[in-house]
Amino acid sequence: MDNYDEHFMQRCFDLARLGAGKTAPNPMVGAVIVHQGRIIGEGYHQAYREAHAEVNAVRSIAAEDRHLLKSSTLYVSLEPCNIHRNTPPCTLLILQEGIPRVVVSDVDQTPGVNGSGLDRLRKAGVDVTVGVLKAQGKRLSLARNTFVTGHRPYILLKYAQSANGIFAPEDNRQLWLTHAYSKRLVHKWRSESSAILVGANTALADDPQLTNRLYYGPSPVRVLLDLKGNLPPGLKVFSDGAPTLLFRAPHLPGMSGLPASVRCFPIPEGAAPVRYLLSQLYRLQLSTLMVEGGIHTLRQFINEGLWDEALVLTSGQYQPSGRQAPALPLPPVQSDTLGSDRIDWFYRTPIR
C-alpha cells in the first residue's frame, strides 16, 4: 500500500458519496479503474436495484481503452459483492473482464459476502489488497454494515442547543436556535436518511413536517412514537399525504380519519417500544434512522445505547433558562463551524 493507492481510493470515496440518499438499503460505493497511473473508467452505485459501482466503472471505459482492462487495477471502496440478488455478482464481472488487481478499503459484512468475494478473486489469481484508507472506508460503509449485522437501522441523533446547553424552553414551545444555513444542512441530512423519528411531545409542540424542503433529493419516511394516545389527526405528519409510520401503545384506542399514507403499528404487549420499532424498520428495509427529538426520546436512545452517530448543532446565542439538552457519554471526534453555529460529530464506536 502506498500513496498511489490512497490517492485513487480517495477518489472512490468521493464518487461513492454521490449516491447518498439514493442507494439504501445498499451501501454507497465508488469504483475507479486505473492503467499506469491514468483513470480509464470510474463509476458509483447510483440507486438501489441499479448497477453497482464496478459495473458502471467498466461501462464508462472508452472503446479504445477496453483492451487495457487486462492490465489495470480496480479500486473500490467496498468489497465486490459475491451474491446474485438484484444484480449479478461483481466478482464475476471482474473475472470475466480479466482485471488482474483489485484494491479494496473495507469488507462488506452482508451475509453471503463478508470476505467471500475477496476469497473468490484470490483463488482465481487476482492480486487483492484490502485496507487502504481503512478508517475512512469503514466510516463510509458503517451504515450498511450496521444494518446487516445488527438487524436494525443505523441510528443518527440530531439536535440543536444554545451556547449554554439549552434545548427547549420550560414550557416546551418551539425554539429555533440555529441560523438558516444550518437549517438547510439539516434538510440535506434528511435527504440522506431512510426514516426520521420524533416522539409524541415534539409532534404536539412543534407540529413539524419532517420533510426535505430545502435541499435536493427525497424526504425520509416519517416515524412517530406515541405511547399515550394524545396525537390529534390534524397534525401535518398525518394530513399532508407523505408516508408516515405511527407506533402506538397496545392499549390505546384506534385513531379514525387517518389517510392511507399513515400506517399504524400497535406495539405488542410487553415489547420494548424502541426495540420493536427498530425491528419493524429493519423489516421494511429502512436502513438509516434520524432521531430529531424531543429530549425524552433522545435520552431514551442514548441511555439504551441505541445510537451510532450524533450531530449536535450549538448556536452562538445564549438562553436565560430552559431544559438542558441531552448529554452524550463521550467527546466529539470532529467539530466544524457554519456561520455562528458549531457542529459536533459524535460516534458511539471508535473506528481505527
Side-chain angles (χ1 to χ4, degrees):
M1 180 173 61
D2 53 27
N3 291 337
Y4 187 85
D5 285 347
E6 292 182 356
H7 172 76
F8 291 115
M9 187 58 69
Q10 186 62 59
R11 177 60 180 166
C12 290
F13 297 156
D14 294 342
L15 288 166
R17 292 187 182 95
L18 296 176
K22 306 177 187 71
T23 66
N26 280 358
M28 298 178 288
V29 183
V32 174
I33 301 172
V34 178
H35 181 266
Q36 295 183 0
R38 177 171 70 93
I39 294 178
I40 62 171
E42 62 180 25
Y44 65 98
H45 186 30
Q46 298 181 16
Y48 181 57
R49 298 185 187 277
E50 294 185 6
H52 289 185
E54 299 93 326
V55 176
N56 287 329
V58 169
R59 287 175 178 172
S60 74
I61 299 173
E64 61 269 24
D65 287 336
R66 288 282 306 184
H67 71 284
L68 300 177
L69 261 176
K70 296 186 185 303
S71 55
S72 296
T73 296
L74 168 67
Y75 293 87
V76 60
S77 58
L78 188 66
E79 174 185 6
C81 66
N82 196 36
I83 51 178
H84 196 304
R85 288 188 175 168
N86 296 316
T87 60
C90 291
T91 50
L92 180 60
L93 172 71
I94 293 167
L95 296 178
Q96 288 174 338
E97 295 292 347
I99 300 172
R101 182 173 184 246
V102 174
V103 179
V104 172
S105 180
D106 193 27
V107 174
D108 183 351
Q109 297 176 24
T110 300
V113 187
N114 201 19
S116 70
L118 303 176
D119 290 342
R120 181 180 185 180
L121 294 176
R122 287 189 178 112
K123 288 175 181 176
V126 177
D127 178 7
V128 176
T129 299
V130 184
V132 174
L133 297 181
K134 183 178 180 179
Q136 292 184 52
K138 282 186 175 295
R139 183 70 68 203
L140 183 66
S141 59
L142 186 56
R144 169 65 178 184
N145 282 338
T146 297
F147 180 69
V148 297
T149 60
H151 295 169
R152 64 162 175 82
Y154 181 84
I155 301 170
L156 168 67
L157 310 180
K158 191 283 299 179
Y159 58 92
Q161 61 185 5
S162 69
N164 54 329
I166 299 299
F167 182 92
E170 293 292 352
D171 60 6
N172 209 36
R173 59 182 168 81
Q174 188 176 30
L175 173 66
W176 187 259
L177 294 165
T178 53
H179 60 63
Y181 289 132
S182 294
K183 185 173 184 179
R184 180 164 294 189
L185 178 60
V186 168
H187 282 233
K188 177 182 183 294
W189 293 337
R190 287 182 179 180
S191 76
E192 297 171 356
S193 299
S194 304
I196 185 170
L197 178 145
V198 295
N201 290 339
T202 297
L204 281 170
D206 297 349
D207 193 13
Q209 291 177 264
L210 301 179
T211 53
N212 168 32
R213 303 178 302 282
L214 301 177
Y215 200 77
Y216 307 100
S219 291
V221 174
R222 301 177 299 198
V223 183
L224 272 76
L225 183 59
D226 179 18
L227 302 180
K228 296 181 180 179
N230 54 358
L231 295 181
L235 292 175
K236 291 172 185 173
V237 290
F238 296 145
S239 58
D240 64 5
T244 302
L245 309 179
L246 175 61
F247 288 82
R248 309 183 80 225
H251 61 274
L252 299 177
M255 292 182 68
S256 59
L258 292 178
S261 58
V262 180
R263 185 175 174 185
C264 290
F265 291 79
I267 299 170
E269 201 73 54
V274 169
R275 293 182 185 275
Y276 174 76
L277 180 152
L278 294 175
S279 72
Q280 295 306 299
L281 297 188
Y282 172 78
R283 187 177 63 83
L284 294 171
Q285 294 287 285
L286 297 171
S287 59
T288 55
L289 173 66
M290 177 185 286
V291 180
E292 283 212 358
I295 294 176
H296 175 75
T297 301
L298 286 163
R299 285 177 177 160
Q300 188 172 3
F301 276 85
I302 294 169
N303 292 341
E304 294 189 33
L306 292 173
W307 66 283
D308 302 290
E309 183 178 347
L311 302 174
V312 180
L313 296 96
T314 301
S315 167
Q317 62 176 285
Y318 286 79
Q319 293 295 317
S321 63
R323 303 169 67 195
Q324 283 290 318
L328 291 161
L330 36 74
V333 299
Q334 180 181 333
S335 295
D336 299 303
T337 57
L338 183 57
S340 58
D341 296 340
R342 187 182 79 243
I343 306 170
D344 290 322
W345 306 70
F346 298 80
Y347 294 96
R348 189 171 64 88
T349 303
I351 288 186
R352 297 177 178 87

